[in-house]
């Protein structure tokens, strides 16, 4: 089975930056749509950024201009660069493989999650 493994979460002060990385165990799934989604306590899971198989990207309005999703096919990885972090960005972040975009239901393979805390 394909596995996705996230890393790079942590605690940071408001205004700081973090870079999340996700490694896919199977190369072909890096060519599918990939996304970063998050879930804060008591809230529904939401899409943060997505990248489709053609390379097109999408971002939630709340993170536009601050977050950047990228993909490295040769290394089977994709990443989320998060700048100017805000306390409302605090959540468990998941990478996922599927059709791409921001809707959680289009993703069928999920990583275990990495916690991001902004104070």
């Amino acid at each position: 089975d394909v596995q996705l493994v996230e890393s790079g979460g942590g605690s940071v002060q408001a205004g700081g930056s973090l870079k999340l990385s996700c490694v896919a165990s199977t190369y072909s799934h890096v060519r599918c749509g990939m996304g970063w989604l998050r879930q804060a306590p008591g809230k529904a899971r939401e899409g943060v950024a997505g990248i489709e198989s053609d390379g097109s990207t999408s971002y939630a309005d709340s993170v536009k201009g601050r977050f950047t999703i990228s993909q490295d096919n040769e290394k089977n990885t994709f990443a989320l660069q998060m700048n100017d972090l805000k306390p409302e960005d605090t959540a468990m972040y998941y990478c996922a493989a599927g059709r791409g975009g921001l809707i959680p239901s289009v993703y069928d393979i999920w990583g275990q999650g990495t916690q991001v805390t902004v104070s």
Side-chain angles (χ1 to χ4, degrees):
D1 291 344
V2 173
Q3 290 187 328
L4 301 175
V5 180
E6 304 101 332
S7 62
S11 297
V12 65
Q13 292 187 337
S17 298
L18 285 173
K19 185 175 183 177
L20 306 183
S21 295
C22 178
V23 179
S25 63
T26 301
Y27 176 77
S28 63
H29 277 76
V30 177
R31 294 191 175 276
C32 297
M34 305 290 283
W36 287 97
L37 302 97
R38 67 186 181 188
Q39 188 166 20
K43 294 187 177 181
R45 192 168 294 188
E46 62 175 356
V48 175
I51 188 165
E52 314 237 356
S53 58
D54 64 359
S56 59
T57 58
S58 54
Y59 295 92
D61 287 343
S62 59
V63 307
K64 282 181 181 176
R66 300 188 297 122
F67 290 12
T68 303
I69 189 171
S70 61
Q71 181 171 299
D72 184 337
N73 287 338
E74 292 186 0
K75 296 182 180 179
N76 295 1
T77 63
F78 73 113
L80 184 69
Q81 177 67 47
M82 306 185 294
N83 298 328
D84 190 22
L85 283 160
K86 302 177 180 181
E88 51 263 43
D89 294 319
T90 295
M92 183 71 77
Y93 283 71
Y94 300 88
C95 67
R99 294 210 305 265
L102 300 177
I103 302 174
S105 62
V106 305
Y107 293 97
D108 52 7
I109 300 172
W110 294 79
Q112 81 287 354
T114 186
Q115 179 68 37
V116 171
T117 302
V118 185
S119 59

